[in-house]
Amino acid sequence: MRILLTNDDGINAPGLYVLEKIAAQLSDDIWICAPSEEQSGAGHSLTLTRPVRMRQHAERRFSVSGTPTDSVTMALKKILPAPPDLILSGVNRGANMGDDVTYSGTVSAAFEGALAGIRAVALSQVYAREGVGNAVDFSAAEAWGAKVLKPLLDMPFAPRTLINVNFPPVAAGEVKGVRVARQGFHDYARGSVVEGTDPRGFPYYWFGLHGIEHTAGSNTDLEAIAGGYVSVTPLQIDLTHEGSLDQLTDLYRA
Ligand code: MN
């Protein structure tokens, strides 16, 4: 089984080394292609206005001067000798739950795999708010990663879907188990905009992520993580809101 690893935290991110350890428990045919720099928040963006450069670090380890989507594209079209059986994206430094998934480069890299018809899983390690700015403990992801992935290897994924996995911010031994849960939502829009003055006296603005409030809805990824469980959420690329189709159709009926 050939596995492609990627992420949005960059080729040197600690979470990518954790993902390598997880993948090594599943196969010895592992390929890596990840952004050369951190691309958190890049979403599903594709670099169109400038060229990207690729660098080979080892026989099966590459970085790309672009987004997570660029990395998957390069891997599938230029690097791998044949398509992989599985794409794993992560392990992200921080949660990708609820509305996060629309901003997430980690999840979007998996989306890119799903669009190419390849089974894809995004993995993220949630950390406690006190952990902001500090090294993140990936021990829950490391201990539970292969355990969560193995049952998925025998399951045919529905077309144009992916699996989004989050690991709770607890020590490996304190993880309560695995919960299949739906995508939740945050109560408020994205966090703060910090305003400052640069050395030349001009204002700058910096988007922050801290303190996003949420109410853990029933059977959501947010609720599962709050309870100390690994969350497993199936996501689909089709964003159509089925419930509004009839209403809109009526609206435009002449
Ligand atoms: Mn990230």
Side-chain angles (χ1 to χ4, degrees):
M1 179 176 61
R2 177 169 296 130
I3 308 179
L4 169 65
L5 309 185
T6 190
N7 73 359
D8 78 355
D9 292 335
I11 188 73
N12 292 314
L16 185 56
Y17 294 101
V18 174
L19 188 59
E20 284 187 73
K21 288 188 201 167
I22 293 168
Q25 298 168 55
L26 306 172
S27 173
D28 55 8
D29 189 1
I30 307 293
W31 295 71
I32 298 167
C33 184
S36 52
E37 301 288 340
E38 184 180 345
Q39 294 285 324
S40 293
H44 201 181
S45 65
L46 178 65
T47 301
L48 294 175
T49 56
R50 59 185 182 278
V52 299
R53 306 283 180 177
M54 184 173 71
R55 191 172 158 202
Q56 184 167 14
H57 302 265
E59 191 195 345
R60 296 181 180 188
R61 189 182 193 90
F62 299 80
S63 65
V64 171
S65 64
T67 66
T69 297
D70 297 339
S71 298
V72 172
T73 302
M74 286 295 289
L76 299 184
K77 302 209 164 151
K78 292 288 174 193
I79 298 173
L80 270 62
D85 303 292
L86 178 68
I87 296 178
L88 300 177
S89 180
V91 176
N92 188 60
R93 183 188 193 279
N96 277 308
M97 303 185 288
D99 313 318
D100 300 336
V101 302
T102 61
Y103 300 92
S104 171
T106 305
V107 172
S108 294
F111 266 136
E112 190 63 16
L115 285 172
I118 298 162
R119 278 194 288 195
V121 182
L123 304 102
S124 303
Q125 174 65 62
V126 184
Y127 60 88
R129 202 166 286 176
E130 310 83 70
V132 171
N134 298 320
V136 165
D137 177 12
F138 284 92
S139 64
E142 194 170 330
W144 283 78
K147 217 181 292 190
V148 172
L149 290 169
K150 270 176 190 160
L152 297 175
L153 302 179
D154 300 323
M155 188 192 91
F157 284 24
R160 302 166 80 80
T161 66
L162 65 100
I163 304 291
N164 185 34
V165 177
N166 282 273
F167 300 96
V170 298
E174 290 168 28
V175 176
K176 294 217 181 94
V178 179
R179 282 272 165 88
V180 174
R182 55 180 302 116
Q183 180 190 339
F185 53 89
H186 298 293
D187 294 346
Y188 303 111
R190 276 289 134 177
S192 55
V193 178
V194 172
E195 185 173 350
T197 306
D198 77 11
R200 297 168 65 212
F202 295 105
Y204 67 81
Y205 305 91
W206 206 327
F207 303 127
L209 288 179
H210 312 303
I212 304 166
E213 299 299 325
H214 69 267
T215 307
S218 182
N219 192 32
T220 64
D221 46 11
L222 292 155
E223 182 190 58
I225 290 296
Y229 293 87
V230 178
S231 70
V232 174
T233 304
L235 297 178
Q236 60 182 343
I237 295 166
D238 183 350
L239 298 177
T240 308
H241 185 247
E242 298 288 337
S244 297
L245 275 174
D246 285 348
Q247 189 190 4
L248 276 171
T249 302
D250 287 344
L251 196 63
Y252 291 106
R253 192 167 280 141

